[in-house]
Amino acid sequence: NAGVMQNPRHLVRRRGQEARLRCSPMKGHSHVYWYRQLPEEGLKFMVYLQKENIIDESGMPKERFSAEFPKEGPSILRIQQVVRGDSAAYFCASRGQGPSYGYTFGSGTRLTVV
Amino acid sequence: SQKIEQNSEALNIQEGKTATLTCNYTNYSPAYLQWYRQDPGRGPVFLLLIRENEKEKRKERLKVTFDTTLKQSLFHITASQPADSATYLCALELQTGANNLFFGTGTRLTVIP
């Protein structure tokens, strides 16, 4: 049983290009959380999605960032017109039922903007 | 302001000793506290969760304590091994909301053979 799957593992983009990060949650889960980890900083919440719904996007910058989780296929985090400050590791996670379960994270996508 | 502080950025200990990592927080009222392990280039891996009304929880060589009066959690690894070398993250979980998990910046543990 695969855990949370993210791709690509590494992504290099030039300033001004678009970055698309994909995430498939654990089997049987229909929700994902996206987190960003900047160098020397803790993980920060970005957005929580269920299939076809954005539940909470309070941590996501208002401009250039968007997320979706279609009925079929993975969740996509999209960053338009990337800037150097977007360079970070982006993780998605899902969680089992109930608070006794922690979050299961994917291996992340490391975005480098050159 | 809200803060989560983990005792030090890096901790070196000798193999076989007990490693103790500290997580202090201010201006949060967490319902749960979680600990994760993160290896370089990998995502965090969940280790333990402790509830606000629990004092201590154990799992194999791991022990976590949670003192809501002191606003502190201690994470212990007994009989440490070089394979325990990693960054350990504490995370506070609030009772409600999707944006309810807040992470510290981690402590990088190195166990020296």
Side-chain angles (χ1 to χ4, degrees):
Chain A
N1 172 37
V4 175
M5 303 300 292
Q6 289 188 250
N7 66 79
R9 290 292 305 276
H10 300 276
L11 184 61
V12 179
R13 285 287 177 266
R14 295 188 187 280
R15 279 179 294 169
Q17 290 185 320
E18 179 180 288
R20 280 183 171 240
L21 289 62
R22 287 177 289 278
C23 169
S24 297
M26 293 181 69
K27 188 176 179 182
H29 290 188
S30 59
H31 63 274
V32 293
Y33 300 81
W34 283 95
Y35 284 81
R36 177 165 66 175
Q37 189 173 39
L38 290 164
E40 310 307 321
E41 290 190 22
L43 284 145
K44 296 280 195 293
F45 170 83
M46 297 183 75
V47 61
Y48 171 53
L49 306 105
Q50 293 179 355
K51 287 275 186 183
E52 300 185 278
N53 277 308
I54 297 174
I55 306 301
D56 185 336
E57 57 182 345
S58 58
M60 201 155 65
K62 296 280 187 285
E63 296 181 358
R64 304 188 296 109
F65 285 73
S66 63
E68 62 176 7
F69 194 6
K71 190 176 178 182
E72 302 290 337
S75 174
I76 308 282
L77 179 67
R78 184 177 172 210
I79 312 172
Q80 294 178 291
Q81 299 174 331
V82 296
V83 301
R84 289 237 170 92
D86 297 331
S87 296
Y90 293 82
F91 294 97
C92 76
S94 64
R95 189 180 199 180
Q97 289 287 344
S100 295
Y101 293 88
Y103 288 66
T104 299
F105 284 84
S107 292
T109 294
R110 271 141 199 88
L111 172 66
T112 302
V113 179
V114 296
Chain B
S1 64
Q2 294 176 315
K3 278 187 191 174
I4 303 169
E5 293 179 319
Q6 294 194 238
N7 55 326
S8 55
E9 277 191 28
L11 180 66
N12 296 334
I13 64 162
Q14 209 68 37
E15 183 176 4
K17 302 289 186 188
T18 295
T20 298
L21 284 63
T22 305
C23 177
N24 294 294
Y25 60 91
T26 53
N27 294 322
Y28 282 101
S29 296
Y32 314 97
L33 194 142
Q34 304 183 24
W35 283 89
Y36 289 79
R37 169 185 173 138
Q38 187 174 23
D39 291 284
R42 310 293 296 181
V45 174
F46 172 70
L47 297 174
L48 279 169
L49 178 149
I50 186 165
R51 300 166 190 261
E52 62 176 336
N53 60 355
E54 294 178 312
K55 295 293 184 195
E56 181 179 298
K57 190 164 250 187
R58 292 174 186 259
K59 179 183 173 184
E60 296 171 358
R61 295 185 295 110
L62 307 180
K63 184 177 88 171
V64 172
T65 63
F66 191 12
D67 189 325
T68 55
T69 302
L70 289 178
K71 297 188 185 299
Q72 181 182 77
S73 175
L74 299 179
F75 176 78
H76 305 273
I77 306 174
T78 58
S80 59
Q81 304 165 2
D84 295 326
S85 299
T87 295
Y88 291 86
L89 309 173
C90 76
L92 309 184
E93 183 179 359
L94 306 183
Q95 184 68 44
T96 57
N99 182 11
N100 69 342
L101 192 66
F102 299 89
F103 283 86
T105 52
T107 296
R108 189 170 62 252
L109 174 69
T110 302
V111 180
I112 302 162

